[in-house]
Amino acid sequence: MAPRSNPSERQRRLGAELRKLRLRAGLTGEQAAAFLGADRARISNIETGRIDVSRNRLYMVLRHYDCPPGPYFDAVMAMAQENGKGWWHEFTDTIGPAGRDLAELESRSTILRTHNPLVIPGMLQTEEYAHAVLTATESEPQRADRYAEFRMARQQVLTSGSPAAYHAIIHEAALHTRVGSPEVMRKQLLRLMEVSRLSNVTVQVYPFEAGVYAAHSRSFVIFGTGVPELDTVYLEHPTNSLLLWDGAELDEYAKMFERLSELALAPVDPQSAPESHESRDSLSLIQHVMYTL
């Protein structure tokens, strides 16, 4: 089988993990190739995600690389078993590989932490709000409709049989940034309060008075799988978004998110009555903005 020219995020990540383990074990590519009875080029293709490695061979490779049994070992094996065929393949007519990679990454995550400084995060958007955001950058109405449909489908990770835990920190600026009509904004802010009723969803607002922090102006998502070594940071960019896998960078973004959470207002609790708010929290701020639209 010829090497694939455009491996998916999962395939690239699996290859990167195998390369990391090989180097940690002090083995050269030639030594790994000799163990598998293959040439050096095959090892290179495996480590860049361009070709697959069978389950039996992967098990042998992990043991040869001194990877101990445990959650990480099992998670790497599971990554190799997945075929990448999910609901997102229904959108190949419009959504490119990067978008489908994002949906697959979300589907295998158990916890998602996101910080958004200018717009409401996609996972919490109403269809009208999403459509207004997308039509601002997409000139073809039909494509914008399809993108919005895709964004709504991605939200199933919050309500599926085993929903992911979701924690969003949204800058106050996103509440004031006009997207669509005032009615669209009111419905969107109401949606924020409604979705916060889900036991797996936490919403915090980062207020203007909290001032400047290292990451307060940068949008990012941390995808957690339950195995910290396999977490991923997603940095959104208009032309070329970035995925970070390096352990030091993962730790740094986790610390930044924790600090943002400390500086943000208390999480939305839609069950509490407005008169019970002795001090300003995320819910009271969202309500204030909604009522002034």
Side-chain angles (χ1 to χ4, degrees):
M1 180 181 295
R4 59 177 68 92
S5 59
N6 189 23
S8 69
E9 179 276 335
R10 176 183 52 81
Q11 291 161 339
R12 294 193 303 271
R13 181 62 181 274
L14 175 60
E17 292 302 311
L18 292 177
R19 183 176 188 275
K20 179 180 70 177
L21 289 169
R22 174 177 63 78
L23 294 176
R24 186 181 296 170
L27 298 172
T28 65
E30 288 74 16
Q31 289 172 318
F35 174 74
L36 287 176
D39 56 23
R40 179 66 180 85
R42 185 172 183 82
I43 297 300
S44 177
N45 283 326
I46 289 174
E47 293 182 350
T48 53
R50 291 196 293 267
I51 62 174
D52 296 322
V53 56
S54 69
R55 176 179 173 81
N56 289 340
R57 282 199 161 196
L58 178 60
Y59 182 89
M60 293 167 53
V61 167
L62 292 178
R63 297 306 301 267
H64 186 62
Y65 289 172
D66 296 324
C67 180
Y72 175 79
F73 187 104
D74 295 339
V76 172
M77 291 291 295
M79 287 176 67
Q81 285 184 278
E82 297 173 11
N83 59 19
K85 301 293 184 182
W87 63 264
W88 45 90
H89 274 262
E90 299 175 8
F91 291 85
T92 54
D93 60 322
T94 305
I95 306 302
R100 299 196 300 272
D101 279 349
L102 183 60
E104 183 179 6
L105 183 57
E106 289 167 344
S107 73
R108 69 172 190 264
S109 297
T110 57
I111 179 170
L112 296 94
R113 291 167 286 174
T114 182
H115 170 248
N116 293 73
L118 293 176
V119 296
I120 306 302
M123 282 290 176
L124 306 179
Q125 291 178 5
T126 64
E127 189 168 0
E128 294 84 359
Y129 184 97
H131 195 272
V133 170
L134 293 165
T135 53
T137 57
E138 177 53 57
S139 58
E140 298 181 27
Q142 289 184 333
R143 289 177 64 86
D145 291 343
R146 193 67 168 144
Y147 287 143
E149 185 181 350
F150 177 70
R151 185 164 294 183
M152 294 302 101
R154 284 171 48 204
Q155 295 180 3
Q156 64 188 285
V157 300
L158 302 183
T159 57
S160 63
S162 299
Y166 186 82
H167 187 169
I169 300 175
I170 306 168
H171 199 284
E172 184 179 349
L175 307 183
H176 293 276
T177 300
R178 181 67 59 82
V179 176
S181 67
E183 182 62 21
V184 168
M185 287 301 300
R186 279 192 289 269
K187 288 182 178 179
Q188 177 58 72
L189 297 179
L190 181 60
R191 167 66 175 165
L192 277 184
M193 293 185 285
E194 290 174 342
V195 76
S196 297
R197 293 191 176 97
L198 298 174
S199 60
N200 56 307
V201 174
T202 300
V203 174
Q204 288 183 272
V205 176
Y206 188 100
F208 287 129
E209 64 262 28
V212 176
Y213 176 62
H216 92 283
S217 62
R218 187 73 182 268
S219 174
F220 65 89
V221 184
I222 305 173
F223 296 95
T225 63
V227 180
E229 300 106 307
L230 294 178
D231 286 357
T232 300
V233 171
Y234 172 74
L235 303 179
E236 188 172 7
H237 189 274
T239 58
N240 188 24
S241 297
L242 184 63
L243 295 171
L244 304 179
W245 301 330
D246 178 75
E249 291 177 315
L250 293 176
D251 289 343
E252 189 62 29
Y253 273 92
K255 291 176 183 176
M256 284 193 291
F257 188 88
E258 182 178 357
R259 181 57 178 157
L260 285 166
S261 181
E262 293 171 351
L263 293 171
L265 298 174
V268 171
D269 179 10
Q271 305 305 322
S272 63
E275 60 271 15
S276 68
H277 296 207
E278 296 182 0
S279 60
R280 193 165 74 143
D281 60 9
S282 296
L283 176 58
S284 64
L285 180 51
I286 294 172
Q287 289 176 324
H288 172 73
V289 175
M290 184 175 67
Y291 293 143
T292 56
L293 286 172

